[in-house]
Amino acid sequence: MIIPYNSSLQKATFFLTGFQGLEDLHGWISIPFCSIYLTVIVGNLTILHVIHTDVTLHKPMYYFLAMLSLTDLGLCLSTLPTVLGIFWFEVREIGIPACFTQLFFIHALSLVESSVLLSMSIDRYVAICNPLRYSTVLTPARIVKMGLSTVLRSALLILPLPFLLKRFQYCRSHVLAHAYCLHLEIMKLACSSIIVNHIYGLFVVVCTVGVDSLLIFLSYTLILRTVLSIASHQERLRALSTCVSHICVVLLFYIPMIGLSLVHRFGEHLPRIVHILMSYVYLLVPPLMNPIVYSIKTNQIRQCIIKKLEFIKPLRCFQQD
């Protein structure tokens, strides 16, 4: 891709990249991406609708699931305009304010998702290790406070990033390797020292994802110890079955994140397309798979969705008649 130099343009915009070298196939490549985005939106809206309309799902576990679906929707919508803009209309330019805004939402929502997964693990810990206090510990007011603190923590930690990037002069190429804006990639285009950004970025990751993953591991260690102390084998399986969906979602979030980090650190010799695909896997696979996992593995969610579908069929037949 050749971009003519223009000093005024270079100061005001970045240039996004789709699949470099495959520009002629962007129309075809857009088909699976459109399918993924559509599935993410429909799947998460379905989860939200079912939880909102079914009174039996008005419980802490499902409130946290609703938070997860909202986060996944936000993460999906934050990348959708630029990704499809490139594939459909070859719109590569993005203004620096718009780029930094997108960057803020992508990183903040990723941290929110990590925090929501921690909240869900706390929910499972209380439900299994201290079931008699479940309703008194996880009250609606406390759940609201947990949700607000999750959003506030993520927003406050990510908010300095756009301002740290804004102080730089970008004298190098303004071409980004992805179809969206990421902090790590933009700061590498700066022509001055980026040590502060490196240190602060590492601090944010350790304080959020690092602490969250450690606490999730600790909560499941305590859950496993409690489950193993249960005499009945059937009761053990019943207790563990309530955690299966959450464990799958945790793995779907952390495995792509670890894979992307390893590719960035040790995969310099790998083809560029591997880096691009891993970034899409990290951003799109969790929002895509989370509703599917909960629809399949959680009996209450599955039954509610089936009831909704059974209710729609007679309505369609009635309309045709």
Side-chain angles (χ1 to χ4, degrees), residues 34 62 80 95-96 123 151 166 178 182 207 213 246 269 274 277 280-281 294 302 309:
C34 288
Y62 301 107
L80 185 148
I96 287 180
D123 169 80
V151 174
K166 191 177 181 180
H178 300 94
L182 297 174
C207 288
S213 59
H246 180 250
H269 62 285
V274 174
L277 286 174
Y280 282 121
V281 167
Y294 272 96
R302 185 173 64 252
L309 294 175

Side-chain angles (χ1 to χ4, degrees), residues 68-285:
L68 185 66
S69 292
L70 280 173
T71 305
D72 286 339
L73 271 176
L75 198 56
C76 167
L77 295 175
S78 65
T79 60
L80 185 148
T82 52
V83 171
L84 296 186
I86 288 177
F87 290 150
W88 284 354
F89 308 110
E90 294 295 321
V91 177
R92 300 181 182 278
E93 296 178 25
I94 182 170
I96 287 180
C99 185
F100 288 175
T101 301
Q102 184 185 51
L103 174 152
F104 170 81
F105 280 106
I106 290 175
H107 289 292
L109 289 169
S110 295
L111 297 189
V112 169
E113 180 142 355
S114 175
S115 299
V116 171
L117 292 176
L118 172 60
S119 298
M120 296 172 83
S121 72
I122 293 172
D123 169 80
R124 291 298 85 207
Y125 165 75
V126 176
I128 293 174
C129 299
N130 205 344
L132 297 179
R133 297 189 59 196
Y134 183 73
S135 58
T136 57
V137 171
L138 293 174
T139 62
R142 188 161 290 165
I143 292 170
V144 171
K145 289 178 182 178
M146 290 172 70
L148 291 176
S149 63
T150 289
V151 174
L152 190 62
R153 181 189 77 158
S154 302
L156 290 178
L157 285 173
I158 296 299
L159 190 59
L161 292 184
F163 295 99
L164 289 173
L165 292 173
K166 191 177 181 180
R167 65 193 175 91
F168 290 136
Q169 290 292 324
Y170 297 97
C171 54
R172 300 173 186 171
S173 168
H174 278 215
V175 179
L176 302 176
H178 300 94
Y180 41 80
C181 300
L182 297 174
H183 172 253
L184 181 63
E185 187 178 6
I186 293 174
M187 74 176 183
K188 288 181 179 179
L189 302 180
C191 51
S192 53
S193 174
I194 57 174
I195 186 64
V196 174
N197 289 63
H198 268 301
I199 293 173
Y200 185 74
L202 182 61
F203 166 77
V204 169
V205 170
V206 171
C207 288
T208 55
V209 176
V211 172
D212 291 347
S213 59
L214 183 62
L215 291 176
I216 289 171
F217 176 78
L218 177 62
S219 67
Y220 272 101
T221 301
L222 296 174
I223 287 171
L224 186 60
R225 188 179 70 175
T226 301
V227 170
L228 291 177
S229 66
I230 298 174
S232 171
H233 177 70
Q234 190 173 7
E235 288 180 0
R236 289 183 197 172
L237 293 178
R238 188 183 301 117
L240 287 175
S241 66
T242 64
C243 301
V244 171
S245 300
H246 180 250
I247 292 172
C248 292
V249 169
V250 168
L251 294 176
L252 283 169
F253 179 77
Y254 283 104
I255 289 177
M257 177 184 286
I258 294 170
L260 184 61
S261 300
L262 291 175
V263 166
H264 275 305
R265 285 185 175 275
F266 308 109
E268 294 181 1
H269 62 285
L270 295 174
R272 191 179 189 85
I273 193 170
V274 174
H275 292 257
I276 295 172
L277 286 174
M278 281 301 301
S279 68
Y280 282 121
V281 167
Y282 167 63
L283 287 175
L284 294 179
V285 167

Side-chain angles (χ1 to χ4, degrees), residues 297-321:
K297 293 292 184 180
T298 307
N299 184 57
Q300 292 91 331
I301 294 287
R302 185 173 64 252
Q303 293 300 323
C304 288
I305 292 175
I306 291 172
K307 286 180 183 178
K308 296 288 182 184
L309 294 175
E310 289 176 348
F311 178 73
I312 291 172
K313 286 181 181 179
L315 287 180
R316 288 180 177 174
C317 295
F318 180 76
Q319 288 173 354
Q320 289 175 358
D321 293 339

